[in-house]
Every structure is written in C-alpha cells, then in structure tokens.
Amino acid sequence: MALTKNKKVLDFVAASAELAQPDKIVWIDGSETQINALKKEAVTSGELIKLNQNLLPDCYLHRTKVNDVARVEDRTFICTKNKEDAGPINYWMDPNQAYELCNEIARGSMKGRTMYVIPYSMGVVGSDFAKIGIEVTDSIYVVLNMNIMTRVGKQCLDALGKEGDFIKGFHAKCDVDADKRYIMHFPEDNTIISVNSAYGGNVLLGKKCFALRIASYLGKNEGWMAEHMLILGVTFPDKTKKYIAAAFPSACGKTNLAMLIPPKHYKEAGYEIETVGDDIAWIRVGEDGRLWAVNPENGFFGVAPGTNEHSNYNALQSTKRGTIFTNVALNTDDMTVWWEGLSKELPEHCIDWTGKPWNPAKFDKKDKSTCSAHPNSRFTAPAENCPCISPEFNSKTGVPLSAIIFGGRRASTTPLVYQSRDWNHGVFIGSAMSSETTAAATGATGVLRHDPMAMKPFTGYHMGDYFAHWVEMGKKVKNPPKIFNVNWFRTDENGNFMWPGFGDNMRVLEWILKRCDENPIDAVETAIGYVPNPDDIDISELDYEICKGKKFDKAALAEILTVDKEKWSKEAEEIEGYYNGTIGSRIPKELWDCLETLKKNCKK
Ligand code: SAT
Ligand code: MN
C-alpha cells in the first residue's frame, strides 16, 4: 500500500510500474520486520549468503556477476539539454535520447518480479541539510544496502509531505548485460536512471549519483557544495575539537583517514579522532561565516582488501554486525569472510568471490587473478557500529571546518604535505590534483590521471563551472577553512612507500591544525605553497622500515618534504595542458593567475 499522499511520488511510482511492469509493488517502510523478511527472502533465493550469526550477527555475503564489480565511468552519463553544460570530461547524452534508450531497455524488465519503493533521506531527516530521494528497484540487495547507507522509511515521506519535491531514482537490474548498462543523470529533472547493473556505486542511487552528481549541480545553483570528502574531528588534550574535510579519489584511504587511531603517545596525551563521514560531505556557509559540513550518508561502503586490525581497527569493528559484504571470500570452515590483507595466514578453505573453491597455494600477491576477494570488494556497514563515530554524526547543523585537505596517489613530485597561500590558491591545488587510478572503477589501475578535487567521476556539470563555484564559495565565507594537500604515497627509487601512513598520518594532521591556529606555527614558503619545517612534524616513537634495513628517519622526512622546482615546472606545464586541452573555457581567471604564479615561482 502506498505510504504517502504526495502526488508527485505516486505519479513517479505509477509511471515506473507502467514502464517496468512488475508483478508487485512493495513500499519500504523501514521497519525491522520488513527488512528481516527481505533478508530471509534473499537468503532463500541465494542472493545473500547468511554468515556465522554468532561471530558475525546479522551479516551476509553477496556476489555480483563477474562483469559487474565496479563503477563504469564510460557508461555514466550527464544528460543536460545543452551538451556544453555537462562539460568536457563527463560523458553526455541528449536527455530525450537517454530517456528513450533507457525506457526501451527497462520496458517490461520487472515482469514476474517485485518493484520496491525506497523512500530515503540523505542527511538527518528533517534537517536543513537533508534531501529526500525515492528509489524504485527490483533488487533486494539494493533495498538492504540503501537501508544501511541512508535513512530509509516512512519518516522520509512524512518529511516530504503532500507537496515536497524529491530526487527520482529508477533502477532495474534487467539482465546485468554490460553492453546495455547505463547510469544516466538528468540534473535538470532531478532524475537518475540505472539499468543492467547491480553493483554499489552504479545502483545505490543515493550515493554517488544523488549525493555527488545531482547534489553538486543543486549546490552550484543553491550556493552550497557536495564534495567527495571524508569528515573527521580531532579532539585535543584540552578537550577542544577541530574538524577537517578531506578529498581523495576512490580507494585512496578516505575510510582509513576518517577512522585513524593516533600513535600511542598522542593517545596518551589525550588526542582522539572521531569519524563524521568517510566519503561524502555536503558543505554550507554557516551564520558565523565559516563552512559547515554534514555527512549525508548513514553507513560506510568501504573497500575490504587491506582492511585489518592494524590498518583500520575501527572499520573492521564496524563490519562485525549488520553488514553486507560484497565480492569478498567465504571462509567455509566457520562461515565468516576473508579478503587479502585481513590476516597474514591464508585460510585453508575458501570460496572465492566468483563462487569457486580458492587454492591458497596458488596465491601470488602480485597477480590479482589469484586473489580470493575482488580488489574492489566492499563492506556495507552501519555508521553507528563504528567505535569512533562522532557524537556530531546525527547533528542537524553539521560541524565547522578548520581545514580542507586534498590528496592523491603520487609516487613522486608532491610532498607529504603543503598548504595553499590562500583560498583561491587552494582551489587551484584541488583543480590540479592527479592520482593513480584504482580498482574502484573499471579500466586499468595505476595510471596517473587528473582528478580535480577527487570529483572527476562525480561532478554533475561542467568542470570549469565547478572550479568557478569553488572560487565563488570562497567569497561567501569570512573565515574559510585553510586548504592543504597531502601525499601519503611517495615512493623511493625501488617503489617502497617512504611514509608509514595509516595512524601515523596523525602527525601530519597535527601540523595542519597548528597551521589553522590563531597564531599558526611557522612554515617554509616554497614555489608551491607552505611546507613544514622538518622539525615541526613529530616523528618521535615512529618505527617504520621503508625497506629492509632502511628505517624512516629525519632525512627521509626531509626528502618527502622537498619541493623539486624542476619537477614542479614540468607539473605546471602539464597542468597548463590539462587546463587548455581538457577543461578549456570556463576556468576562472583566479586559477589561471595561480598557474602563472606557479610557473614563475619554479623559474626563480
Ligand atoms: O562504488 S562506489 O562509487 O560507491 C565507491 C567508490 O568508488 O568510491
Ligand atoms: Mn568514494
């Protein structure tokens, strides 16, 4: 039975049903009884495998089709009336053509199936930040994941009332045919259509599709920002708190940074990290002239491989109940899950992510095809499970940002940390970000590509306009956060990581926040911005071996803080090529000025 009198919702559901022709329509009210019944049904049909309920209560495993394991950027379209408005780096399709194509594919595709109607809220229901979406889908997996990742149920329809507007999301699994897979966005119609996939980022429409692509477009028009950023809080020994938002491309450690455990001597001194979000930040100007951020999500869709007790204790703890695992291995000895990096010892009896018995004897770290879990295998875990979840997680106003951090995977050139000279220079640094590709999207991994603000795959409009929007936002805030860039991934000549990363990143956060003090700590001005004096990064009690026999020390720190003008001169040329050749017009003058300054500084 319909759970609302909102005519726009009823019309959308009716039109979706008319197109897809499901046998049944089920409204998701968010009740435990309904969700439990769906879990049961999914276990019976084989869509979910029930895991050991003593060790992993309320946890399940799901396997996708082997052709459906990551976001598909080349099949993800922004469908604006004018091609120009989607910009040069989005795939574009004419909206009429896109609707027609998807309708053709989806027509009758739910015959014999059930269509679920999921009312959900991105953000705390009823808060100023929150926005409501309705996703219709024929996948129980989607319902159950959305129920973890967002706030789902009747209260969202109540918040919408009789007249309220919402984001329409239509998802049909169809035949999971990769050749007919389309993830379409219609920012001008507040609509998303996804067909022929059943994998996370392509089908959990509240996440990248709504909370980033559509929301970034809304934010540009309404004067706020939707960003691919984690949000964390740092508590100082005197119990004061500061908040940081940080943008890194998919699978570059956002979840790890958001849940960082400080080194022992920091903890003993009273430092603590609290997680507000690990992937998405919606940011607005507060009455106090600062930027305030909320995490619109309600759970974590984290990368499983590499997550363990040491690398991310808090993430691992978050997965211990109420979690859906996707494409990890099943340990048949005790019906728990496993993935590469979870433990040093390899389990003897596993079913790999494709559903075949796995042979640990053949496992070779360097050969992905021998892995038991897919490199982009995921856990969908409720945020409330996280031991370090922030008390502000459910705040209706969000948290005030002291710093914004950009970062990517860069084997060379980019130092461990540097600070922009001012807001616009910070925007320039974000716009010029490059990072090596990861398994989060289909295609080759390890290839260096431009990924401005980690938003390349997620900006719902022209990237040049997006840069201009950032510049405009800077004008609206009296006390903008300071902007930094970090690089945890510098390698030595043999490819070894020079910086320990993980919990030791706290040492860099400390410097960053000292730069945000009213009386900031000194720094060294370089061609690219301010870098720390090596003495100002605390490396006490740091025990890290870069490679056998080579310990991390002050000299190594100095090395990863150096700014090589020759390399940066080349980088500047490269950025100029990207600006001119790829983004083209619509880049604001303020950023061109920063590029000129960089070029000049490198020649000095
Ligand atoms: O698959 S998702 O897009 O949800 C995760 C990611 O790539 O960041
Ligand atoms: Mn992400």
Side-chain angles (χ1 to χ4, degrees), residues 227-295:
E227 298 298 330
H228 193 201
M229 290 179 178
L230 67 93
I231 310 165
L232 64 81
V234 179
T235 309
F236 291 83
D238 66 3
K239 298 288 170 227
T240 55
K241 289 188 188 194
K242 283 201 171 111
Y243 295 91
I244 297 175
F248 303 96
S250 300
C252 286
K254 280 196 298 300
T255 308
N256 288 342
L257 187 64
M259 299 179 190
L260 170 159
I261 296 182
K264 194 160 154 267
H265 68 293
Y266 277 85
K267 273 199 295 199
E268 283 166 3
Y271 283 93
E272 263 175 59
I273 296 284
E274 289 166 354
T275 310
V276 181
D278 80 327
D279 196 38
I280 297 175
W282 283 1
I283 304 174
R284 283 175 197 266
V285 182
E287 277 166 17
D288 59 355
R290 305 180 69 186
L291 285 181
W292 288 67
V294 298
N295 166 18

Side-chain angles (χ1 to χ4, degrees), residues 329-551:
L330 175 68
N331 184 337
T332 45
D333 283 334
D334 59 2
M335 289 303 278
T336 59
V337 284
W338 196 78
W339 49 77
E340 280 63 31
L342 177 60
S343 58
K344 280 213 177 91
E345 323 67 57
L346 309 182
E348 271 176 55
H349 303 110
C350 265
I351 307 281
D352 73 13
W353 70 275
T354 68
K356 297 197 191 80
W358 181 64
N359 184 352
K362 288 204 177 137
F363 174 61
D364 168 8
K365 237 181 11 205
K366 290 191 200 99
D367 179 357
K368 293 277 182 234
S369 71
T370 67
C371 287
S372 66
H374 187 274
N376 192 38
S377 54
R378 299 270 172 165
F379 52 80
T380 316
E384 64 181 19
N385 282 0
C386 180
C388 61
I389 196 74
S390 165
E392 301 301 322
F393 176 72
N394 281 315
S395 153
K396 290 193 170 175
T397 51
V399 294
L401 296 178
S402 296
I404 286 177
I405 303 178
F406 294 119
R409 273 176 198 267
R410 293 296 305 265
S412 77
T413 314
T414 310
L416 176 64
V417 57
Y418 66 105
Q419 182 189 357
S420 73
R421 288 183 296 275
D422 54 30
W423 176 269
N424 285 343
H425 181 226
V427 177
F428 168 74
I429 290 171
S431 78
M433 247 169 84
S434 306
S435 188
E436 290 154 26
T437 50
T438 67
T442 52
T445 59
V447 181
L448 192 65
R449 74 165 186 183
H450 280 277
D451 191 350
M453 282 86 169
M455 282 288 278
K456 180 192 182 301
F458 307 122
T459 307
Y461 60 103
H462 193 296
M463 191 53 88
D465 290 343
Y466 170 77
F467 295 166
H469 181 50
W470 265 84
V471 170
E472 281 312 303
M473 287 298 294
K475 293 181 190 156
K476 290 189 195 185
V477 267
K478 252 194 348 269
N479 297 309
K482 306 271 188 291
I483 301 182
F484 298 80
N485 194 90
V486 298
N487 178 22
W488 315 134
F489 299 95
R490 270 278 275 264
T491 54
D492 68 6
E493 59 289 356
N494 299 316
N496 303 301
F497 289 115
M498 292 189 69
W499 174 251
F502 300 103
D504 288 308
N505 292 336
M506 180 68 210
R507 301 165 189 272
V508 175
L509 297 187
E510 185 192 16
W511 182 80
I512 285 176
L513 289 174
K514 279 185 178 164
R515 289 290 293 165
C516 299
D517 272 350
E518 248 167 70
N519 297 308
I521 188 171
D522 276 346
V524 185
E525 186 159 9
T526 73
I528 62 170
Y530 300 102
V531 301
N533 280 303
D535 284 340
D536 290 336
I537 301 265
D538 175 4
I539 56 167
S540 61
E541 296 181 42
L542 202 172
D543 189 19
Y544 174 63
E545 227 178 31
I546 296 172
C547 58
K548 225 178 170 77
K550 190 167 146 206
K551 285 232 167 193

Side-chain angles (χ1 to χ4, degrees), residues 16 63 65-66 86 92 132-133 179 189 265 274 290 354 393 399 512 520 524 555 583:
S16 303
R63 297 189 191 113
K65 276 203 170 177
V66 292
W92 173 84
I132 306 280
D179 294 331
D189 301 344
H265 68 293
E274 289 166 354
R290 305 180 69 186
T354 68
F393 176 72
V399 294
I512 285 176
V524 185
I583 305 294

